[in-house]
Amino acid sequence: MTHFRSVFQSLLFVFLLCSCGNSREILPGKSGDVTFTNPIITADFSDPDVIRVGKNYYMTASSFYVSPGLPVLHSKDLVNWTILGHGIKQNPNARLTYRGRNKDELDYNIPRFGMGVYAPSLRYHDGFFWIFWGDPDAGIYMVKTEDPAADWSEPVLVHEASGIIDPSPLWDETTGKAWLSFAYASSRSGKNSMIDVCEMSWDGTKLFGDPVTVFDARDSDRFPADRFHRTIEGTKFMQRDGWYYILCPAGGVERGWQTAMRAKDPFGPYEIRTICETGSTKINGPHQGGLVESYSGEWWFIHFQSTGTLGRIVRLEPAYWENEWPVIGIDTDNDGIGNPVSSYYYPHPPEPKQIQTSDDFNSGELGLQWQWVANPKDNWYELKDGNLLLPAIYSANDPLFETPHVLTQMFPGFSFTATVKVDLSSTEKVRGGLASFGRKTFDIGVEQLDKAFRISVRFNNDILVSAFTQKSNNIWLRLTTTGEMPKPLERRESNSIEDEVIRRENLQPYEYEDLERWRNGLIMGQFSYSFDGINFTDLSEPFEVRSGRWTGARIGLYSLKTGSEGNGHVAFDYIRIENSFK
């Protein structure tokens, strides 16, 4: 009987491994372990990197153009996370132009979609937490701190260059030398699919000598590989058992895979191999993240998955070492390459916590989930008597996606409701409201017209539909979204020239302008309003939410002038975000 049970358990294990493409696989860990389900964070923490200090885990991610930037997150179990702080209060201004960009387009005083903080690396060394990142229009920056929840140092420009991105430092205690790996953005540098390494000062403030190319996907004679690793980038430099490793994503954001390079010298020569790919799982693009050893001695990989409108959400994969190579996920087909998991056992006993979303504005500071779409000024908000006061600074006549004074946070999932309670008693010549913010924006807002209030939904700054009321100065505005995880992410079919002409003749601009490239992974939004916070009336037709550039869509709060003068403001009593699910 014992032998029969053993055989049965072995067959069951094989069945679970082989069926991971379509079902929720629970792979074997320790007896009685609790399992988690991927993704672990359904919000746009792009290009994550993770470290462990003692029994605490810390993570950072790309923030691109929003401020404060470089979110710093904390976890005790690698699954449940909360925002701890930010590495920078404002984006350092860009310094270098490309493709005719003039000097007036280098600051971050207005939203700069697709610019800013790219793919940071987080490290702990010499008693300090360090973050290195690349701004493709400036170069490589560094900040550090002894306390990741407190203020970080002012950014240091380690190396000024156009198109250098995704740096990762390595301090080699055996030689007393430090190194930095990095990649290139072809839009600025004219080259990509290559990785360079340069010697760095021990204090992390400058580079020495010329960089050495340690891999170039376009030169297979010098750098042989197991496949064509196009768009290789996102470097993570590490050392283990006498080997230098550089982990890199390749193949592109949506369809890519994870690679590892190893050598006995920081300058190579490096071997390269694929260590994680989609396989039969339908989990697209399992790559770009950080490898970390738990305090119990296991290895784990945190990375993003590109999901269309929501952005790049966070997954956790088991990892292990085989023949001095890392393998990420589970090698279900025994080809030496790991595949991502839908679920797995917890690294440690769960300590539930969640990313901050709702805010009652009763604290003396904004919640850590909030980020401005441009570098903020001191007069952009006030917290008073349990309200967030946003003064009307910019004009309602300008498109909202070009307006600097918009307070935002990430969409927390594909399907949720975001409800704000608004006090409109100080809103003469002011429009205030709630937005779905991206490279094109939808918003619902209220403005005073004589003795009435107009509630309207806009696309950019064009009103789509309106309603009028004289009922109350208090109004509740709501954004409701619906969407689901793409399996896998697929491109839209391109329209013919004839079809595009017909579309533009028969559709409103909000129905066709700047749509997502994807036919799945889309999120539909709808706005509604209420006078009691309970019974809501839909005002808009459902609309296709727009993401940002390299970023997911964001929830926004705003206050705008409707005339040439006016010193009014909008008071937000709270925002409640509910019903978010994976």
Side-chain angles (χ1 to χ4, degrees), residues 195-265:
I195 304 300
D196 281 5
V197 170
C198 196
E199 188 174 352
M200 181 180 71
S201 62
W202 195 257
D203 65 3
T205 61
K206 57 182 177 290
L207 301 183
F208 297 137
D210 295 325
V212 173
T213 297
V214 297
F215 183 76
D216 187 343
R218 302 161 300 179
D219 190 345
S220 58
D221 291 335
R222 287 181 60 203
F223 305 102
D226 57 339
R227 65 172 74 178
F228 178 52
H229 293 283
R230 62 179 177 83
T231 322
I232 194 168
E233 54 190 2
T235 71
K236 296 292 180 282
F237 215 168
M238 62 179 293
Q239 207 172 358
R240 183 178 185 270
D241 293 344
W243 290 94
Y244 296 90
Y245 293 90
I246 304 177
L247 273 62
C248 302
V253 170
E254 291 83 15
R255 308 295 175 92
W257 54 88
Q258 183 67 31
T259 67
M261 301 163 52
R262 72 176 188 184
K264 289 293 186 178
D265 186 277

Side-chain angles (χ1 to χ4, degrees), residues 59 76 151 157 168 180 210 220 234 241 272 277 310 367 389 419 477 494 521 525 545 548 552 556 559 564:
M59 180 166 60
K76 285 285 191 178
D151 288 341
L157 185 61
S168 182
L180 194 76
D210 295 325
S220 58
D241 293 344
I272 186 170
E277 63 183 8
L310 185 60
L389 306 183
T419 306
L477 305 176
S494 299
V545 171
S559 173
S564 58

Side-chain angles (χ1 to χ4, degrees), residues 170-434:
L170 174 64
W171 289 271
D172 188 344
E173 301 288 349
T174 61
T175 63
K177 292 185 176 182
W179 312 90
L180 194 76
S181 61
F182 51 85
Y184 292 90
S186 61
S187 59
R188 276 71 157 180
S189 65
K191 55 186 177 182
N192 70 352
S193 300
M194 59 186 293
I195 304 300
D196 281 5
V197 170
C198 196
E199 188 174 352
M200 181 180 71
S201 62
W202 195 257
D203 65 3
T205 61
K206 57 182 177 290
L207 301 183
F208 297 137
D210 295 325
V212 173
T213 297
V214 297
F215 183 76
D216 187 343
R218 302 161 300 179
D219 190 345
S220 58
D221 291 335
R222 287 181 60 203
F223 305 102
D226 57 339
R227 65 172 74 178
F228 178 52
H229 293 283
R230 62 179 177 83
T231 322
I232 194 168
E233 54 190 2
T235 71
K236 296 292 180 282
F237 215 168
M238 62 179 293
Q239 207 172 358
R240 183 178 185 270
D241 293 344
W243 290 94
Y244 296 90
Y245 293 90
I246 304 177
L247 273 62
C248 302
V253 170
E254 291 83 15
R255 308 295 175 92
W257 54 88
Q258 183 67 31
T259 67
M261 301 163 52
R262 72 176 188 184
K264 289 293 186 178
D265 186 277
F267 287 145
Y270 282 85
E271 307 168 74
I272 186 170
R273 67 185 297 177
T274 302
I275 59 172
C276 184
E277 63 183 8
T278 296
S280 62
T281 66
K282 297 186 179 179
I283 298 169
N284 64 284
H287 69 298
Q288 185 134 352
L291 190 65
V292 63
E293 185 179 13
S294 73
Y295 60 79
S296 55
E298 298 172 315
W299 286 86
W300 300 86
F301 185 68
I302 278 188
H303 67 102
F304 75 74
Q305 178 187 6
S306 183
T307 59
T309 310
L310 185 60
R312 303 173 187 180
I313 61 178
V314 184
R315 303 178 61 90
L316 176 65
E317 312 292 347
Y320 59 96
W321 293 85
E322 188 171 71
N323 300 322
E324 303 298 335
W325 286 101
V327 179
I328 292 169
I330 302 298
D331 183 8
T332 57
D333 53 8
N334 296 314
D335 63 353
I337 302 172
N339 305 133
V341 300
S342 294
S343 61
Y344 205 70
Y345 67 91
Y346 261 82
H348 308 295
E351 295 202 12
K353 59 174 66 176
Q354 60 184 11
I355 303 296
Q356 299 92 317
T357 54
S358 300
D359 199 339
D360 59 13
F361 304 120
N362 287 325
S363 172
E365 298 181 349
L366 281 174
L368 294 172
Q369 67 269 36
W370 294 109
Q371 296 170 298
W372 301 95
V373 297
N375 281 343
K377 308 295 187 293
D378 291 339
N379 66 337
W380 276 15
Y381 78 97
E382 181 181 2
L383 294 171
K384 183 178 180 181
D385 300 327
N387 288 287
L388 167 67
L389 306 183
L390 294 183
I393 299 173
Y394 292 89
S395 173
N397 294 325
D398 297 324
L400 194 60
F401 67 86
E402 295 179 358
T403 301
H405 184 224
V406 182
L407 184 62
T408 70
Q409 61 172 288
M410 302 171 186
F411 271 30
F414 290 97
S415 300
F416 64 90
T417 61
T419 306
V420 293
K421 182 183 178 184
V422 186
D423 176 359
L424 295 166
S425 59
S426 300
T427 57
E428 185 176 359
K429 297 183 180 179
V430 173
R431 175 188 175 89
L434 175 66

Side-chain angles (χ1 to χ4, degrees), residues 100-166:
R101 177 183 287 164
N102 59 53
K103 294 290 184 181
D104 294 334
E105 296 176 286
L106 296 183
D107 62 63
Y108 288 92
N109 292 325
I110 67 170
R112 302 291 188 189
F113 291 103
M115 294 174 58
V117 174
Y118 278 48
S121 284
L122 175 62
R123 294 292 181 266
Y124 185 74
H125 164 71
D126 265 357
F128 285 90
F129 294 82
W130 307 68
I131 301 179
F132 286 74
W133 77 94
D135 181 327
D137 302 305
I140 297 168
Y141 283 101
M142 176 273 290
V143 292
K144 66 179 184 178
T145 185
E146 293 181 282
D147 180 0
D151 288 341
W152 292 63
S153 65
E154 289 298 313
V156 173
L157 185 61
V158 178
H159 181 65
E160 182 174 330
S162 181
I164 288 184
I165 56 172
D166 306 358

Side-chain angles (χ1 to χ4, degrees), residues 386-505:
N387 288 287
L388 167 67
L389 306 183
L390 294 183
I393 299 173
Y394 292 89
S395 173
N397 294 325
D398 297 324
L400 194 60
F401 67 86
E402 295 179 358
T403 301
H405 184 224
V406 182
L407 184 62
T408 70
Q409 61 172 288
M410 302 171 186
F411 271 30
F414 290 97
S415 300
F416 64 90
T417 61
T419 306
V420 293
K421 182 183 178 184
V422 186
D423 176 359
L424 295 166
S425 59
S426 300
T427 57
E428 185 176 359
K429 297 183 180 179
V430 173
R431 175 188 175 89
L434 175 66
S436 171
F437 191 91
R439 64 193 186 282
K440 293 290 188 293
T441 59
F442 294 85
D443 75 89
I444 184 170
V446 186
E447 54 193 298
Q448 187 172 346
L449 299 176
D450 296 324
K451 296 182 180 181
F453 289 117
R454 177 171 68 181
I455 314 162
S456 59
V457 171
R458 305 186 307 171
F459 172 65
N460 297 335
N461 59 334
D462 296 326
I463 292 177
L464 301 180
V465 62
S466 297
F468 294 85
T469 181
Q470 296 178 335
K471 290 187 176 181
S472 172
N473 285 347
N474 289 325
I475 191 168
W476 286 257
L477 305 176
R478 174 173 287 177
L479 168 64
T480 302
T481 71
T482 56
E484 61 183 20
M485 180 78 75
K487 296 181 179 180
L489 196 62
E490 297 178 356
R491 290 186 180 273
R492 290 184 193 266
E493 294 181 1
S494 299
N495 293 317
S496 66
I497 295 176
E498 293 80 6
D499 288 342
E500 193 63 27
V501 170
I502 293 172
R503 282 168 55 80
R504 291 176 182 265
E505 288 177 349

